[in-house]
Amino acid sequence: MTTTPAGPIGTPPLGVPVPPAGIVGPGELLALFRARSPLTRTDVMTLTGLSRSTVNQRIDLLTEAGLLVERGPDVVPGRGRGRPAGSFAFNVERGVLLVCDIGATALRAAICDLSGRVLEDRPLVSDVTEGPKAVLARVDPLFAELLTACGRTAADVRGVALSVPGPVDREQATVVSPPIMTGWDRFDIRGWFARTYDCPLLLEKDATAMAWGEYRTHYGTADTFLMLKLGTGVGAGIIAGGRIHRGADGAAGDIGHTQATGEDGDVGPLCRCGNSGCVEARAGGWAMIRDLAAAGRDVSTVDEVVERIRTADPVAVGLARAAGRVLGVALAETVNILNPRVVVVGGQLAEAEEQIFAGLREMVYSRSLPLATRRLELRRSRLDERAGSVGLALLLADHVFAPATVDAALADPAASA
């Protein structure tokens, strides 16, 4: 399956999968409009091979359901002097999507249109270790504020999606045995939001959501893509063959908890997961806070760490360069295994690009196979703090408007109202 070219943030469609010719159902026809709007009836016939009567019937069905809207007549060069053809487009204003990217020490809530374009967002400092009830109680008023700002109500919400810094069970929308998310294990997140919103809810790992946002908006032609998130912790999201790779149990990409033995054989400091010598225990944001505090520096947040690196604090700069090398060793092993075309680095520590990237490049290019790095692109995140929100919105839009879901809703008029 191919995708539309990647475009800048806020320009729909953002790499919506293009269904192949021989489309059968109205749900697949809607997927075509989501990918290529606007289209005339003739365009649809050409792209799908369907007869005029079938195209008319399905476009009428989608229009009556409010999923397509008719545009004014288009004057198309080369089509003669006949009556201009009217075109149709996916109705991105038929509702809204709510998403929240929850990190270890902050969260960002956003409201999006049905194409996945972020309309408004709100960041908030929040400690994930306070537990699900405390954190989600902060998300609720943010969602309400965003709805009000856009002139919408809870009845307009077509889907809710959250990302978290821990392993998830996507089927149950629960967090599973998270190392740092105290009290979140198996908490009923879907039930929490079902009290207010009558719609689907998705739960995703934060690095995976970031990876999908970057991939779909800027790197859709890369067959294999890796997102490295450097924040309070360390994680990775993997795209392989144009699809998210989560692993058999959703644990793929947990690069932060691979072992990083010191050069002198030291097993390393204790990690938050309970093991010793993990990559994030040596190079994560929380580890740098620990080491700076031990050196007499007054820091308590990753943002403060980044500021000290930027202002050339010698201890902070030294820690950043060392962290870059530790991360580079772990990344080199991943590059050898996955052979990604693009590696994008995001998260708060990515803002210390000069120091962190020096170590990353040094280790990746010295320890990876030449063939694996021959065409490798190592880049800084282009979406920055909004990568997770954008990725969640795109995942949610694809879920809500999956062809099978649309067909089922159209077969049950009450469900599509």
Side-chain angles (χ1 to χ4, degrees), residues 50-395:
L50 295 174
S51 68
R52 180 176 295 278
S53 61
T54 301
V55 167
N56 288 341
Q57 185 270 332
R58 290 178 184 167
I59 286 180
D60 290 346
L61 180 63
L62 292 168
T63 302
E64 291 169 4
L67 296 171
L68 294 182
V69 289
E70 188 168 6
R71 298 277 186 88
D74 294 332
V75 178
V76 182
R79 288 193 179 176
R81 297 183 179 180
R83 180 183 176 189
S87 63
F88 297 81
F90 174 51
N91 185 6
V92 300
E93 298 181 357
R94 187 174 178 268
V96 292
L97 307 173
L98 293 175
V99 302
C100 189
D101 180 20
I102 299 173
T105 57
L107 58 83
R108 180 176 293 271
I111 186 170
C112 313
D113 69 17
L114 297 186
S115 74
R117 182 171 63 96
V118 175
L119 303 174
E120 296 265 355
D121 64 0
R122 300 283 189 276
L124 183 70
V125 173
S126 178
D127 185 351
V128 76
T129 64
E130 292 181 28
K133 292 182 179 180
V135 174
L136 298 181
R138 298 185 184 110
V139 176
D140 283 337
L142 286 179
F143 278 170
E145 179 183 335
L146 288 165
L147 286 168
T148 300
C150 291
R152 298 285 193 161
T153 68
D156 296 314
V157 178
R158 299 290 181 254
V160 174
L162 283 77
S163 62
V164 294
V168 302
D169 180 335
R170 295 180 66 250
E171 291 293 326
Q172 299 300 319
T174 57
V175 184
V176 183
S177 303
I180 67 169
M181 299 177 66
T182 307
W184 287 80
D185 186 39
R186 300 295 178 181
F187 182 80
D188 185 13
I189 297 175
R190 183 171 283 143
W192 178 281
F193 288 100
R195 300 176 304 175
T196 308
Y197 306 107
D198 182 18
C199 62
L201 180 135
L202 295 185
L203 185 67
E204 188 58 84
K205 191 171 71 172
D206 57 354
T208 299
M210 292 174 68
W212 195 240
E214 291 282 348
Y215 174 76
R216 284 275 292 269
T217 56
H218 296 295
Y219 300 101
T221 59
D223 179 74
T224 307
F225 173 94
L226 181 71
M227 179 84 201
L228 182 62
K229 181 191 177 184
L230 308 179
T232 303
V234 177
I238 303 167
I239 311 297
R243 300 171 65 89
I244 293 174
H245 177 71
R246 299 182 175 89
D249 298 299
D254 202 353
I255 192 172
H257 295 289
T258 57
Q259 298 297 300
T261 304
E263 294 180 1
D264 57 357
D266 177 28
V267 296
L270 183 67
C271 183
R272 297 181 298 177
C273 72
N275 293 326
S276 295
C278 293
V279 167
E280 82 164 42
R282 294 181 181 274
W286 68 267
M288 296 182 72
I289 293 172
R290 175 200 63 207
D291 294 342
L292 279 170
R297 303 302 196 265
D298 183 17
V299 294
S300 58
T301 69
V302 178
D303 287 337
E304 291 173 351
V305 171
V306 172
E307 183 60 27
R308 285 190 172 268
I309 296 171
R310 283 177 166 173
T311 55
D313 179 305
V315 176
V317 170
L319 287 171
R321 289 175 177 169
R325 289 191 291 273
V326 171
L327 292 163
V329 171
L331 183 57
E333 296 174 356
T334 306
V335 166
N336 279 334
I337 294 171
L338 293 178
N339 186 203
R341 177 66 62 244
V342 181
V343 174
V344 170
V345 183
Q348 292 155 289
L349 286 179
E351 296 177 21
E353 182 176 359
E354 182 179 348
Q355 291 79 12
I356 296 289
F357 272 62
L360 281 174
R361 290 193 175 94
E362 176 190 352
M363 294 295 104
V364 168
Y365 287 99
S366 66
R367 290 175 175 251
S368 299
L369 295 171
L371 185 60
T373 57
R374 183 167 60 94
R375 294 188 292 162
L376 176 67
E377 297 179 32
L378 183 59
R379 297 177 177 269
R380 164 83 187 276
S381 170
R382 296 170 70 175
L383 297 179
D384 290 324
E385 69 275 6
R386 291 187 173 88
S389 300
V390 172
L392 284 173
L394 294 172
L395 283 167

